[in-house]
Amino acid sequence: MPNRRKLPTVHAGSMADIAFLLLIFFLVTTTIAKDKGIARKLPKKCPPGQVCSLPIQERNVLRLFLNDTGELLVNDEIIPVSQLKEKLIEFIDNNGDGSCHYCNGLGSLHYSENPKKAVISLSTDRLAAYSEFIRVQDEITKAYLDLREKYVLDLLKKTVAELSESELEEVKTAYPFLISEAEIN
């Protein structure tokens, strides 16, 4: 009589349960990184029956164009991105109409009338590098931050950290962030 031993068997039914529990465990304990992007507040939608577009004088618009090779044109003049912040500050803080009591600009006829009317128009080529687009956006943001910080220090005699909500709104009203973005095919 041949010796027939029973071969051990593995119960695979519980393996599926263990794999499922491990999957649930990793899904629950894993942190998902937040997407990074540019913090911008979109304009409100124009109510029906109202005209929401106002005519803007050409001197109040600074036109920026980022082409596919990464060159930055500011009013049809090529400049390095590193010089953009200073150009923006000159344009925004110009006080061309003399109505801005806190502006430090020269009052040039080629730049904006005052910060409340200054619009930055940014156009980018579809093939422009995203990293260059971000660099331009960063320079725009830095220019507005510098102008706002100077306003806080000079007029309010405080630091930015000490501002109340109403003072923060005053600073934002003094130097509103007006930007128009477009993509060129």
Side-chain angles (χ1 to χ4, degrees), residues 103-153:
C103 293
N104 298 310
L106 302 173
S108 170
L109 296 175
H110 302 290
Y111 293 142
S112 72
E113 293 175 1
N114 66 50
K116 295 177 183 174
K117 294 182 179 179
V119 177
I120 311 301
S121 175
L122 174 60
S123 302
T124 57
D125 189 281
R126 184 176 291 244
L127 299 176
Y130 189 68
S131 60
E132 289 301 311
F133 175 75
I134 295 298
R135 282 185 60 210
V136 170
Q137 287 281 353
D138 286 345
E139 292 301 313
I140 294 170
T141 303
K142 286 178 195 176
Y144 275 99
L145 284 175
D146 281 4
L147 288 168
R148 288 175 174 179
E149 284 178 0
K150 187 165 179 43
Y151 179 89
V152 168
L153 292 173

Side-chain angles (χ1 to χ4, degrees), residues 161-173:
E162 297 171 334
L163 292 178
S164 66
E165 286 294 321
S166 63
E167 290 169 330
L168 186 59
E169 286 303 314
E170 176 187 337
V171 174
K172 288 180 181 179
T173 303

